[in-house]
Amino acid sequence: MNVPKIPIGKWIESLEAWLETNAGPLFEGIKLVIGSTVNGLADAFNFLPPLLMIALITVIAFWIGRTRLALFSLIGLFLVYNLGYWEHTMETLALVLTASLISILFGVPLGIWCSRNDKVQKTVTPVLDFMQTMPAFVYLLPAVAFFSLGVVPGVIASVIFGIPPTIRLTNLGIRQVPADLVEAADAFGSTPMQKLYKLQLPIAAPTIMAGINQTIMLSLSMVVIASMIGAQGVGADVYRAVTQAKTGVGFEAGLAVVVLAIILDRITQNLVNKKREG
């Protein structure tokens, strides 16, 4: 007995065609905002001389993580500069920061909403499971269809791939606030907004920061994949080395990604530790 195939693929393509026809101005607006943000950040990072930028990042690393993180940042970034990947690394940093900022702006409020409403949480959780388990390459197809080639579809794909941890851990952190503290706030007549901003968010901040840390790492992991659709940065160098079978060039470019990933990871982790100590 032959069971007719459910035309899920055709439904998705029809939805994509409908969105392209009816939501064109919206996509153009999103493309303009994201493209301007990425290019603005990249220009700002590359405006300062590389050695001055390295010194600035080293000072920030020392202020947040003290000696070892500052020393690693100094050596690692100087190595990136010496290998000739400084400009592309700054472009990658701009792409990752833009994707992370969008994820935070949408992820934290959605996580707060999930923590306040069980029905919303039950609805959002399967969507997050889908977003985290769907192969990342699949996100490139609609992103290219709606935003053409370039950094914008790379940012969009990075947001879709990286936003779930921020939503999940924001929800988790607020739900783990001790019930007796919430009851005490209610007893003193706190409004829901006062309770959120003065009690729940400060206590949940370390957990939320851990989610943001994971979002940044996942966004950075999309760098090479996003280079396949025109996103610039170190990912493009890695992808070019793979297609041309240049092992040495691929290793050097990959090393730049590793240095950037470790610095971002350690900075956000130390911010989490500072929140916990506070």
Side-chain angles (χ1 to χ4, degrees):
M1 179 179 178
N2 293 327
V3 179
K5 177 183 176 180
I6 301 175
I8 295 179
K10 292 184 179 180
W11 294 343
I12 296 297
E13 291 174 358
S14 298
L15 176 61
E16 178 184 328
W18 184 86
L19 288 173
E20 287 181 14
T21 303
N22 296 278
L26 174 62
F27 294 136
E28 285 298 322
I30 294 174
K31 182 178 179 180
L32 178 63
V33 171
I34 294 178
S36 300
T37 302
V38 175
N39 293 330
L41 286 175
D43 291 341
F45 294 150
N46 284 312
F47 175 76
L48 294 176
L51 295 180
L52 181 58
M53 190 69 180
I54 291 173
L56 180 61
I57 295 175
T58 300
V59 170
I60 294 173
F62 178 78
W63 177 63
I64 294 176
R66 296 303 175 189
T67 307
R68 282 194 288 184
L69 179 57
L71 186 61
F72 176 84
S73 300
L74 178 63
I75 297 173
L77 292 175
F78 184 79
L79 178 62
V80 170
Y81 170 66
N82 179 261
L83 293 174
Y85 293 101
W86 179 260
E87 184 176 345
H88 289 179
T89 301
M90 293 299 98
E91 292 174 354
T92 297
L93 179 60
L95 190 152
V96 171
L97 290 181
T98 302
S100 301
L101 178 62
I102 294 172
S103 298
I104 293 169
L105 289 177
F106 287 93
V108 172
L110 188 53
I112 293 172
W113 192 18
C114 290
S115 69
R116 289 171 169 260
N117 193 315
D118 291 337
K119 291 182 178 179
V120 173
Q121 182 190 18
K122 291 177 181 178
T123 302
V124 170
T125 299
V127 177
L128 298 180
D129 294 338
F130 175 87
M131 293 167 65
Q132 288 185 292
T133 53
M134 176 65 72
F137 290 94
V138 177
Y139 298 137
L140 302 183
L141 300 175
V144 170
F146 296 143
F147 302 102
S148 70
L149 298 176
V151 296
V152 177
V155 171
I156 296 296
S158 299
V159 169
I160 297 173
F161 188 66
I163 197 174
T166 296
I167 298 174
R168 290 184 187 277
L169 290 180
T170 299
N171 173 41
L172 178 65
I174 293 177
R175 286 180 178 270
Q176 287 183 335
V177 174
D180 55 344
L181 294 181
V182 177
E183 291 174 359
D186 291 333
F188 281 101
S190 299
T191 65
M193 294 301 292
Q194 288 175 330
K195 186 166 60 176
L196 175 66
Y197 285 105
K198 295 185 178 181
L199 173 66
Q200 294 172 316
L201 286 180
I203 293 177
T207 305
I208 296 173
M209 285 299 301
I212 293 173
N213 171 272
Q214 292 302 306
T215 290
I216 294 173
M217 292 298 101
L218 289 173
S219 298
L220 191 54
S221 72
M222 284 288 292
V223 165
V224 178
I225 298 176
S227 68
M228 298 175 63
I229 55 175
Q232 299 302 310
V234 186
D237 296 306
V238 175
Y239 180 63
R240 196 176 303 113
V242 170
T243 57
Q244 298 175 359
K246 294 184 177 180
T247 306
V249 175
F251 184 83
E252 289 179 352
L255 195 60
V257 176
V258 170
V259 169
L260 185 59
I262 292 176
I263 292 174
L264 291 174
D265 178 64
R266 296 300 184 272
I267 286 177
T268 50
Q269 280 190 6
N270 278 280
L271 286 174
V272 171
N273 293 334
K274 285 180 179 294
K275 287 289 185 181
R276 284 174 177 164
E277 290 173 2

